[in-house]
Amino acid sequence: MFNFIFTADKESKKPLYEQLYSYVANEIRNNNLIENERMPSKKALAKHLGISVNTVETAYSILAEEGYLRSVPRSGFYVCRIEAPVGGREIEYAEEKAPVKKYKTDFKTNTVDVASFPYATWVKLSKEVLYSNPEYLNAGDVKGDYELRESIAKYLHEFRGVRCSPAQIVVGAGIEYLTMLLTELFDEKSVFALENPGYRKINAILKNNNRRINYIDVDETGLRTDKLKESDSDIVYVTPSHQFPTGAVMSVGRRTELLSWAEEKDGRYIIEDDYNSEFNFSVKPVPAMQGLAVSDRVIYLSTFSRVLAPSIRIAYMVLPKEILKKFNEHFSSYSSTVPRFEQHTLDRFISDGYFSRHLSRVKNIYRKRRDRLMEILGGTDFAITGERAGLHLVAKTPCAKEIIKKAEQNDMKLYDMDDYCMTENKRGNFVIIGYAGASDEDMERLDKFLEEYKH
């Protein structure tokens, strides 16, 4: 009767009218239905296919709206000419993921103890904020809502010696995002200096923004200021509280040298990434450089991800006067990348005292975990560093490569410091072991694995 072989797919999630629409559209595109050919009436096609007239009517209406058919009053629907694109083809987009091996035991450096997350408190505060403040559905300040910035300023002054006002603070979805914004605020000719070995994500951000980079070696007290002075760098990115990945804590003397370098020339700045500063296991933690600085040359960066959870993307930066002015000029029309409900949940978490109690609790958990790891490594000839702060240890041993390879064969992942070197000059003999997410079972497996390397 009709040139139709349409068969409905009963398993498809697509409505029947949409299936019919797609079929007719494809037939027209493939010239199986030619220009000016009269389509069967809605009633006739419905009877032929055993479907409702409403279904055919809906499909015809969409086809007419999109130009596949034209409606002629009191006559019916006719096929329109559709020019097929030259070389046209259907393209399927599939997400390509590099295969990632999952290990039974993985001593990552970017995990937390998920069991210690304050689920009940966070849910309680979230509900209170959500139900009592519908205005948070509207857009807020690009720098983050004032209440959260005020809580952060108070916290930084009390715990890190940072001197700032809420007006200087910018809240954003992660340190990487804030670093991307910062990069745009410096002159295109500015030369950046990065620690070597160091945090590869920051290196990638700067490269993606076509910035020139100098790689400055790190020793047991942090970035070498003598090497920095020999370079033509304008901005240096450092992790003084717990250098990643060596674990070095920058001495006060080295910090003073770095601050002097910044003050020697206009346009020089220090980006102080104070990640992991909360986890200092020394008797007296070293205060942030921002609080030590005489001039306004330090940009302070930190995040709540390490204390709470990596998926809670709330980081912040404290901007000096000149950089803050540029930020306001460049980004005033932007929107904050952190939902306001999350901002105010965190504000309540800090201001109501939950944050300090949670920090104290997880710090004790991580201290015990660190002590257990040091006990395991203490039975070997490995030289251990990085134990004063942070959430990973570094083991120096001539058989580092062998240990990492054997661990993989035993379904265990340990990390090689060479993977964080920015230049061809490798370190060679260092194993990195993150312990924040390690269970008691993981520790026992590591202890057993290292038996052959013990005294």
Side-chain angles (χ1 to χ4, degrees):
M1 178 180 175
F2 305 124
N3 185 25
F4 269 77
I5 53 172
F6 169 75
T7 303
D9 182 358
K10 295 181 180 179
E11 301 297 322
S12 175
K13 293 181 180 180
K14 282 186 177 183
L16 189 55
Y17 74 84
E18 192 173 337
Q19 294 185 45
L20 179 58
Y21 152 80
S22 297
Y23 171 79
V24 175
N26 282 330
E27 290 292 285
I28 294 173
R29 281 196 296 265
N30 294 328
N31 292 320
N32 293 325
L33 292 173
I34 61 175
E35 185 181 5
N36 294 322
E37 184 175 348
R38 186 175 182 276
M39 296 292 293
S41 70
K42 290 177 282 188
K43 288 184 179 179
L45 184 58
K47 183 178 180 181
H48 174 67
L49 298 177
I51 58 179
S52 72
V53 174
N54 285 340
T55 298
V56 178
E57 184 174 19
T58 303
Y60 274 13
S61 296
I62 297 173
L63 289 163
E65 285 177 9
E66 295 188 2
Y68 288 100
L69 300 178
R70 74 177 189 279
S71 176
V72 178
R74 294 186 297 275
S75 179
F77 288 88
Y78 292 82
V79 175
C80 295
R81 178 173 176 158
I82 300 295
E83 293 287 350
V86 178
R89 59 191 175 94
E90 291 188 8
I91 301 175
E92 291 187 6
Y93 292 91
E95 186 174 359
E96 294 183 8
K97 290 184 178 181
V100 178
K101 178 175 172 54
K102 289 189 176 182
Y103 296 86
K104 184 175 182 180
T105 302
D106 194 336
F107 290 95
K108 292 180 179 180
T109 61
N110 62 346
T111 56
V112 297
D113 181 63
V114 294
S116 66
F117 183 80
Y119 294 97
T121 302
W122 194 263
V123 170
K124 171 180 170 289
L125 294 176
S126 296
K127 285 183 177 179
E128 289 176 3
V129 170
L130 179 64
Y131 294 137
S132 60
N133 299 278
E135 68 271 19
Y136 295 157
L137 288 169
N138 293 317
D141 195 310
V142 61
K143 294 192 295 185
D145 280 12
Y146 188 85
E147 294 87 345
L148 175 57
R149 290 187 282 126
E150 190 174 36
S151 291
I152 292 173
K154 187 173 184 294
Y155 162 75
L156 289 177
H157 176 71
E158 292 177 357
F159 290 92
R160 297 299 298 135
V162 172
R163 297 174 296 171
C164 69
S165 71
Q168 291 175 260
I169 295 174
V170 176
V171 176
I175 281 179
E176 295 88 350
Y177 168 75
L178 294 177
T179 303
M180 285 192 290
L181 294 185
L182 272 179
T183 305
E184 295 185 39
L185 298 179
F186 293 111
D187 187 277
E188 291 182 359
K189 294 181 181 179
S190 296
V191 181
F192 287 77
L194 294 182
E195 298 166 324
N196 184 40
Y199 189 38
R200 283 198 166 276
K201 285 187 179 180
I202 302 304
N203 183 54
I205 290 168
L206 295 178
K207 282 192 170 183
N208 289 341
N209 282 273
N210 298 313
R211 296 304 186 135
R212 191 154 72 82
I213 307 169
N214 291 323
Y215 300 108
I216 310 299
D217 290 341
V218 173
D219 62 17
E220 64 277 2
T221 55
L223 178 132
R224 290 185 55 180
T225 49
D226 59 332
K227 296 293 185 181
L228 177 65
K229 291 175 182 178
E230 292 172 4
S231 72
D232 59 347
S233 305
D234 302 298
I235 299 121
V236 59
Y237 191 107
V238 291
T239 52
S241 294
H242 187 248
Q243 200 280 328
F244 186 84
T246 66
V249 177
M250 186 178 284
S251 65
V252 174
R254 186 67 64 85
R255 293 175 190 229
T256 303
E257 290 176 7
L258 193 54
L259 290 168
S260 297
W261 167 86
E263 293 163 4
E264 287 172 359
K265 186 179 177 182
D266 289 341
R268 283 182 176 174
Y269 285 95
I270 299 166
I271 301 176
E272 178 183 14
D273 184 343
D274 207 30
Y275 98 107
N276 266 350
S277 60
E278 296 89 353
F279 302 110
N280 189 302
F281 303 111
S282 302
V283 176
K284 186 178 180 181
V286 181
M289 277 196 300
Q290 196 272 2
L292 297 173
V294 176
S295 60
D296 212 16
R297 298 297 184 88
V298 180
I299 298 163
Y300 182 91
L301 275 173
S302 194
T303 178
F304 290 100
S305 296
R306 297 301 281 154
V307 178
L308 294 172
S311 63
I312 295 179
R313 306 298 296 163
I314 306 181
Y316 55 92
M317 58 184 175
V318 179
L319 300 180
K321 183 178 180 180
E322 290 301 316
I323 304 299
L324 178 61
K325 182 180 177 182
K326 289 183 179 180
F327 180 92
N328 291 333
E329 291 171 353
H330 283 71
F331 302 124
S332 61
S333 62
Y334 281 34
S335 298
S336 175
T337 51
V338 180
R340 296 181 72 194
F341 286 112
E342 287 191 16
Q343 291 186 47
H344 286 271
T345 299
L346 178 58
D347 169 51
R348 287 280 307 279
F349 193 73
I350 298 171
S351 59
D352 291 356
Y354 296 110
F355 182 82
S356 59
R357 291 195 290 274
H358 172 70
L359 176 58
S360 178
R361 187 163 69 93
V362 294
K363 192 171 180 179
N364 285 331
I365 292 172
Y366 293 146
R367 186 194 301 273
K368 291 176 182 178
R369 208 159 282 175
R370 179 207 62 167
D371 291 347
R372 174 60 181 136
L373 180 55
M374 289 184 66
E375 179 186 349
I376 293 171
L377 298 174
T380 67
D381 292 324
F382 304 165
I384 310 303
T385 57
E387 74 281 1
R388 287 174 55 191
L391 298 174
H392 74 268
L393 295 182
V394 178
K396 182 179 181 181
T397 168
C399 47
K401 304 286 186 188
E402 172 194 317
I403 289 172
I404 292 169
K405 185 176 180 179
K406 281 187 176 180
E408 289 192 359
Q409 294 168 353
N410 283 271
D411 208 13
M412 180 185 298
K413 182 63 176 174
L414 302 173
Y415 293 83
D416 191 340
M417 189 177 291
D418 281 353
D419 292 338
Y420 302 95
C421 290
M422 309 293 184
T423 64
E424 294 301 317
N425 297 326
K426 304 296 184 181
R427 296 267 171 149
N429 299 324
F430 295 90
V431 180
I432 299 172
I433 309 172
Y435 56 81
S439 65
D440 291 342
E441 182 183 354
D442 293 334
M443 290 294 190
E444 296 314 308
R445 287 196 74 223
L446 179 65
D447 191 15
K448 185 177 180 180
F449 170 71
L450 292 176
E451 281 292 336
E452 64 178 290
Y453 300 98
K454 293 185 179 181
H455 304 307

